[in-house]
Amino acid sequence: AYICGEETALLNSLEGRRGEPRVKPPFPAAKGAFGQPTTINNVETIATIPPILRMTGEAYAKLGTPKNSGTRVFCVSGHVKRPGLYELPLGLPLDFIINDLAGGTPNGKKIKCVIPGGASAPVFDASELSTPMDFDAVRAAGSMAGSGGIIVMDEDTCMVQACLRLLRFYAHESCGQCTPCREGCNWLEMILARIERGEGRMEDLATIEQMTPRIAGRTLCPLGDAACGPMDSMLKKFRSEFEHHITHKECMVKGKTLLSSVGGHH
């Protein structure tokens, strides 16, 4: 389950129990798997060990930027000619990765939106594509480098539909342990689905803006925060599309609502 990307949920699953985060402290380094001190690293961390041993730490640290050294594996997907995995030094501009390495959009269409660090990262619009892809620069630009998952959306993308897809995922993957995440993600999905169907009300947008601060930072793990990142940023940067769905009962991009393409409410 997605929730098992959180280290203590992973430990619970490893022990044969329900995959849901634990209350901390105690932290895994003190009391982890089967009550024993446990160190948990993800695959990306472990994968850096061989090149560091081969190159020496000093040489590896010269890659990337001074405060963000080394390489990352970026997963580029969405509307690009050459989607795939690219291991690159940290600090390369986002537009270089998308256009020069991944080939840009397949039909020469304009890029509307990019998720720079996986589904939980606040989105960038077309004006932010020159951002260097290291942890500090992406954070300074208002998002996060996260998992390195770069998702490109071109000008034909409906942002209401894209946001609904993401919130449907988080509502489904919430373990349900924390009320703000369990109820909040579910309600965000229901409100977005209503807007996508052409049944939204303008006050729905105000409701969303009031809900996300009541979810983020109020749960045992960051899944609730992860849902709020794309929700808040998409509504802020592409608000006109949400308003168009509500006032015109149709999609600004596609000219009609397309709820059937994203499936019914789970």
Side-chain angles (χ1 to χ4, degrees):
Y2 181 77
I3 193 68
C4 291
E6 197 280 335
E7 60 182 14
T8 59
L10 180 65
L11 290 177
N12 276 350
S13 184
L14 182 71
E15 294 175 0
R17 294 188 284 141
R18 183 180 176 87
E20 58 185 21
R22 300 176 182 177
V23 176
K24 297 184 284 286
F27 293 93
K31 185 180 179 182
F34 306 101
Q36 300 302 308
T38 307
T39 299
I40 305 166
N41 286 296
N42 62 31
V43 175
E44 183 180 31
T45 303
I46 295 170
T48 62
I49 296 173
I52 290 172
L53 292 176
R54 284 196 301 266
M55 298 172 63
T56 75
E58 184 179 3
Y60 187 80
K62 291 179 180 177
L63 299 172
T65 59
K67 293 184 179 180
N68 294 259
S69 57
T71 66
R72 284 205 88 188
V73 176
F74 294 97
C75 175
V76 186
S77 65
H79 299 141
V80 290
K81 292 178 183 175
R82 294 188 291 273
L85 297 166
Y86 295 83
E87 184 173 7
L88 305 167
L90 284 159
L92 291 175
L94 179 57
D95 53 6
F96 174 80
I97 297 173
I98 293 171
N99 293 315
D100 292 69
L101 300 180
T105 58
N107 300 311
K109 294 184 181 295
K110 294 178 181 177
I111 294 173
K112 177 190 281 189
C113 173
V114 176
I115 297 176
S120 58
V123 301
F124 283 160
D125 61 27
S127 69
E128 299 168 298
L129 300 185
S130 60
T131 303
M133 288 301 288
D134 67 47
F135 293 95
D136 293 340
V138 175
R139 187 184 305 114
S143 187
M144 64 178 184
S147 64
I150 299 172
I151 306 171
V152 180
M153 304 179 213
D154 69 20
E155 59 189 303
D156 291 341
T157 303
C158 169
M159 299 313 300
V160 178
Q161 188 183 82
C163 193
L164 174 57
R165 284 183 185 274
L166 291 169
L167 266 296
R168 178 157 289 146
F169 170 78
Y170 284 113
H172 181 266
E173 293 297 331
S174 172
C175 74
Q177 184 177 194
C178 302
T179 303
C181 178
R182 179 186 68 244
E183 296 299 320
C185 291
N186 186 53
W187 275 95
L188 286 174
E189 181 204 353
M190 287 196 293
I191 293 170
L192 282 170
R194 188 166 69 223
I195 295 172
E196 171 68 3
R197 284 195 302 270
E199 300 170 0
R201 304 181 294 265
M202 200 59 74
E203 54 264 35
D204 286 340
L205 302 183
T207 300
I208 290 172
E209 291 171 329
Q210 292 166 5
M211 285 178 63
T212 53
R214 290 169 168 80
I215 300 171
R218 298 175 184 270
T219 53
L220 283 175
C221 88
L223 191 141
D225 300 55
C228 295
M231 179 73 259
D232 286 338
S233 60
M234 286 184 176
L235 181 56
K236 179 182 178 181
K237 294 179 179 180
F238 302 98
R239 190 183 186 94
S240 60
E241 291 196 32
F242 290 83
E243 292 178 345
H244 190 93
H245 266 73
I246 293 169
T247 56
H248 295 277
K249 313 300 181 187
E250 67 176 17
C251 176
M252 178 186 288
V253 178
K254 303 179 186 298
K256 58 182 180 179
T257 54
L258 294 168
L259 184 65
S260 59
S261 67
V262 292
H265 177 67
H266 75 266

